[in-house]
Amino acid sequence: MRRAELIMATLMAAFSLYTMWKSAELEIGWIPSEGPGGGAFPFWLAVGMFICCMLIFIRQFRQADEPINSLKNYMDRQTFVLFALVAGSLTITIGLIDFVGVYVAIPLFMIFYLRVIGDHRWLLTGTIATATPLLLFFFFEIALKITLPKGVTEPMFYPLYSMFL
Amino acid sequence: MEIATLLLDGFFLAFEPLNLLLIIGGVVLGLFIGAMPGLGSVNGVAILLPMTYLVPPTSAVIFLGAIYYGAMYGGAISSIMLGIPGASTAVATTFDGRPMALKGEADKALVAAATASFVGGSISVVLFTLFAPPLADVALAFSAPEEFALMLLAFATFVGLGGDDIPKTFFSIFIGLVFSAVGLDIISGEPRLIFMDLPGFFHGINFLVLAIGIYGIGEMLWTIETTKGKVKISQAHITVQRILDTLISLKNGIKVMIMGSFLGYFVGILPAAGATPGALMAYGVAKGMSKDPESFGKGNTNGVLAPEAANNAASTGSMLPMLTLGIPGSPTTAILLGGMVIWGLDPGPMLFVEHKEFVWGLIASLYAANFFAVIINLAFIPAFLWVLRMPFTILAPIIFVLCIIGGYAPTQDMHDVWLMLVFGIVGYLMRKLDYPMAPAVLAIVLGPLAETSMRQSLLMSSGSFEIFFFRPISGSIMAIAITLLFMPLINSFNKTMRREISSWPL
């Protein structure tokens, strides 16, 4: 746990410094007759973030009752595998949406999740993987008129557009 | 008398066919969402908000309000039947609800929870009706310094009363405010905080991206971790006769329910506190009031009545500051508030002047939602039990898909979907280290308002911070806020002093 705390505090401190630097692209001081500059609000908040990270880091560093290299209590092996599978499949799905669109990426995700992580039967997997994109299409594209990203599959939808829209 | 007329008008709006349908639909959906382990009102409202673009803004808020209400009822179902709180707000319900279920009194616990929720909901909605208009009148006199003082007070309650680690709470507030500052500077219009020069940051970070990331993706990752072991569902035998018998036996618990309702309502008004601590406090008080405190934790009905009355009352309580002051009382109302801003309904006292119809329609719909929730809850207990048997591995991917689409819908930009994923994963990893997430969500919603009011005030005073302290209303609010901010320091000083004193040789 302690190691995770130290790593997180360091990463967030780095992000705070980056935010301070980005805020300073605008005026962070007082502009006469205009008030505080555009960068002042985020700059001083980022300073606050940095101080918090330092406090968390110092407090954890001084706590000697847990070995420094312990990550055991943070995430055990089983949790890590599950987390990596879920987070990884989500990342790949969102990445795929850019290329092949929602209507290919989402069924693939459903099949992976239900079959590999959930260990469900093919019949159930197939039903849900087919029903989800259908429901998405009719609810979002037809009812809400929100066009979902389709990537290279876009031309395949032209007949559907002319039928329903 | 004027209130009665306005409320009556509100009922006409709430009972329009579309709105009535949305109230009933929202309550049913909320009950299911609340009943599922790991999902509560905040998750339901965050994930489903983008789906409400289909209906007019007033109906959308009514629908989300009904989900909020339903979820508060539903939370008790999984607390009792699985021993896993349906949402954090129902944690206290597991203390006695679960032992009751294990004793074979699951039906009694479920009926008690529904009844207490109804009492809590009813009392709180009446209090809401009475308090909201005068508070909104007072708030009409507020200008920029008062508004800023109120925002500071909202953040200060997280520090003083939130009960989480102090540096981590501050960090969460700061990072939420920083995210709210991304995009274009509100006054000069210059681009600001365009991280890695990605063009997606030019339109700012939509609060929904953070909310769905944390309460959708992050919450799912959290639930997958916590429920990976097998859960055991209790058996419940429910007949109309048993329900009636239980209802009659609950008359001994009226005092406890009323106490829970009042306590929950007033705790719910405070931004950091809300339903979870409200319910825990009500449980504690009920135990203290009891002649038989040892039976608590072993299946005492009052241990279910008190927290359930309180968490429902708190959910109504948290709407009071949201509607009258524009400061949300809970993460769920923070998301509702963000939604209202998108729909062009600026929350705050002016809402009571400019959108009277909407306000009273919403209040009336709370009465209606409360009524329908208790009926549907009691009538469909078997259906909810069936939902609890649904494997989480079916539910989880469906929710992930809703998150992806929900993250895309508001701005229709894949950049936001990626950002949502990052927030979800990082939020989950931080939550494992006890970083509180609610302050960040509140901060991203309130950030633009806080910055504008602060900059306007400083312009008014030519840069002097005295303006916040020397105006009567903002000065008093600032005094309370600063006391709350220093509360943890005062507490730790007190503790050290006490330890010192007790170690003195006498």
Side-chain angles (χ1 to χ4, degrees):
Chain A
M1 210 60 151
R2 194 169 156 222
R3 189 169 173 182
E5 288 271 17
L6 291 173
I7 295 172
M8 186 62 84
T10 312
L11 288 176
M12 290 300 142
F15 177 66
S16 317
L17 287 173
Y18 176 62
T19 310
M20 281 192 246
W21 175 65
K22 285 300 276 184
S23 312
E25 287 175 358
L26 274 73
E27 177 60 49
I28 55 167
W30 184 265
I31 308 172
S33 79
E34 269 187 42
F41 187 72
F43 179 82
W44 292 107
L45 289 168
V47 171
M49 276 164 64
F50 185 75
I51 295 171
C52 292
C53 294
M54 287 294 104
L55 285 175
I56 297 166
F57 190 92
I58 294 166
R59 190 180 57 190
Q60 286 299 326
F61 199 77
R62 285 168 57 186
Q63 215 170 53
D65 53 351
E66 206 185 332
I68 195 143
N69 56 359
S70 147
L71 270 176
K72 205 171 59 195
N73 297 332
Y74 184 64
M75 220 187 244
D76 58 31
R77 206 182 151 70
Q78 194 196 357
T79 313
F80 179 74
V81 171
L82 206 56
F83 165 71
L85 273 178
V86 177
S89 61
L90 275 171
T91 311
I92 293 170
T93 307
I94 298 174
L96 275 177
I97 290 176
D98 268 328
F99 298 103
V100 290
V102 163
Y103 297 100
V104 176
I106 293 224
L108 286 177
F109 170 73
M110 296 301 265
I111 292 170
F112 172 80
Y113 202 105
L114 292 166
R115 228 6 248 180
V116 180
I117 300 178
D119 210 12
H120 292 288
R121 285 191 209 153
W122 272 113
L123 181 67
L124 182 89
T125 308
T127 317
I128 298 179
T130 325
T132 314
L134 280 175
L135 288 173
L136 286 181
F137 181 79
F138 284 103
F139 188 75
F140 284 95
E141 313 245 357
I142 309 296
L144 287 184
K145 305 268 186 290
I146 292 176
T147 320
L148 298 177
K150 297 185 191 66
V152 292
T153 62
E154 181 85 43
M156 291 161 67
F157 286 83
Y158 294 156
L160 285 171
Y161 289 154
S162 55
M163 211 185 299
F164 294 105
L165 290 175
Chain B
M1 199 57 220
E2 196 202 344
I3 290 179
T5 328
L6 289 167
L7 190 61
L8 195 68
D9 288 342
F11 272 108
F12 282 118
L13 183 73
F15 285 116
E16 277 176 16
L18 172 70
N19 293 342
L20 191 62
L21 204 71
L22 286 172
I23 292 173
I24 297 175
V27 163
V28 172
L29 211 56
L31 278 163
F32 279 109
I33 292 169
M36 285 168 192
L39 287 183
S41 61
V42 62
N43 318 96
V45 170
I47 299 168
L48 293 175
L49 197 144
M51 324 282 153
T52 56
Y53 295 150
L54 192 61
V55 292
T58 310
S59 308
V61 180
I62 287 177
F63 176 65
L64 294 173
I67 292 182
Y68 191 8
Y69 235 91
M72 283 292 165
Y73 272 82
I77 300 174
S78 69
S79 293
I80 293 166
M81 301 308 292
L82 301 178
I84 301 169
S88 68
T89 49
V91 169
T93 313
T94 51
F95 301 163
D96 278 271
R98 184 60 176 165
M100 281 177 82
L102 293 175
K103 277 198 291 188
E105 293 178 348
D107 59 324
K108 201 173 161 188
L110 288 169
V111 173
T115 315
S117 296
F118 180 71
V119 173
S122 307
I123 292 180
S124 63
V125 83
V126 172
L127 288 174
F128 184 93
T129 315
L130 297 176
F131 278 115
L135 191 59
D137 279 346
V138 175
L140 274 175
F142 287 9
S143 75
E146 284 78 24
E147 276 172 24
F148 179 74
L150 266 181
M151 312 265 169
L152 194 73
L153 180 66
F155 296 126
T157 48
F158 276 102
V159 179
L161 307 173
D164 292 302
D165 185 84
I166 302 301
K168 288 177 180 171
T169 309
F170 269 115
F171 180 82
S172 184
I173 295 170
F174 291 148
I175 201 167
L177 288 171
V178 163
F179 286 147
S180 78
V182 172
L184 301 176
D185 172 26
I186 40 174
I187 292 184
S188 68
E190 286 173 277
R192 178 166 72 172
L193 294 181
I194 309 298
F195 294 121
M196 297 178 336
D197 293 320
L198 290 170
F201 284 114
F202 276 97
H203 62 61
I205 299 177
N206 190 309
F207 78 97
L208 264 181
V209 172
L210 183 72
I212 300 179
I214 288 175
Y215 292 115
I217 307 251
E219 188 80 44
M220 281 292 104
L221 290 169
W222 180 264
T223 313
I224 287 169
E225 181 187 335
T226 46
T227 58
K228 62 184 175 224
K230 290 268 175 280
V231 286
K232 191 174 172 291
I233 181 163
S234 303
Q235 294 298 320
H237 305 283
I238 296 160
T239 58
V240 177
Q241 190 54 46
R242 282 177 71 111
I243 291 180
L244 289 176
D245 289 347
T246 311
L247 283 176
I248 294 164
S249 74
L250 289 180
K251 65 175 187 288
N252 299 328
I254 290 176
K255 233 196 307 179
V256 171
M257 284 191 267
I258 294 176
M259 176 278 297
S261 308
F262 275 89
L263 188 69
Y265 181 78
F266 289 105
V267 175
I269 294 175
L270 304 169
T276 311
L280 287 166
M281 279 162 77
Y283 182 86
V285 175
K287 195 173 168 181
M289 273 164 60
S290 169
K291 287 181 198 126
D292 179 23
E294 284 84 40
S295 65
F296 275 75
K298 293 175 189 140
N300 187 322
T301 320
N302 285 350
V304 174
L305 292 176
E308 276 304 305
N311 69 23
N312 267 57
S315 64
T316 320
S318 67
M319 287 208 185
L320 181 77
M322 175 194 80
L323 285 176
T324 53
L325 307 174
I327 308 279
S330 67
T332 316
T333 43
I335 295 166
L336 273 175
L337 185 134
M340 285 165 68
V341 174
I342 298 180
W343 293 312
L345 294 162
D346 266 343
M350 286 311 284
L351 203 63
F352 281 75
V353 181
E354 289 171 356
H355 298 281
K356 238 182 221 170
E357 246 192 47
F358 161 74
V359 172
W360 290 98
L362 180 64
I363 295 175
S365 75
L366 292 180
Y367 281 89
N370 194 31
F371 172 75
F372 287 115
V374 73
I375 306 269
I376 297 170
N377 191 350
L378 288 176
F380 292 99
I381 286 175
F384 299 120
L385 300 184
W386 177 79
V387 173
L388 292 185
R389 292 197 183 91
M390 183 161 129
F392 195 69
T393 44
I394 295 180
L395 186 68
I398 296 176
I399 290 172
F400 281 130
V401 169
L402 283 177
C403 290
I404 293 176
I405 308 293
Y408 178 81
T411 49
Q412 308 196 15
D413 185 351
M414 279 306 285
H415 165 87
D416 282 356
V417 181
W418 283 110
L419 203 58
M420 179 198 69
L421 181 71
V422 172
F423 285 148
I425 292 176
V426 177
Y428 159 76
L429 294 174
M430 292 181 90
R431 187 175 165 188
K432 282 177 73 70
L433 295 171
D434 296 325
Y435 281 81
M437 292 293 138
V441 174
L442 190 77
I444 198 172
V445 174
L446 291 183
L449 303 164
E451 187 186 359
T452 320
S453 56
M454 186 185 80
R455 285 168 78 171
Q456 279 173 351
S457 312
L458 289 177
L459 263 179
M460 283 159 70
S461 68
S462 319
S464 162
F465 280 90
E466 283 178 6
I467 189 168
F468 298 116
F469 298 95
F470 289 103
R471 292 164 65 104
I473 301 179
S474 81
S476 334
I477 302 174
M478 286 299 264
I480 304 171
I482 290 172
T483 316
L484 282 170
L485 285 174
F486 283 98
M487 193 108 105
L489 268 183
I490 299 167
N491 282 345
S492 74
F493 179 74
N494 271 349
K495 255 186 227 158
T496 328
M497 283 305 283
R498 236 176 277 151
R499 218 178 306 140
E500 290 281 317
I501 291 168
S502 62
S503 63
W504 283 351
L506 290 170

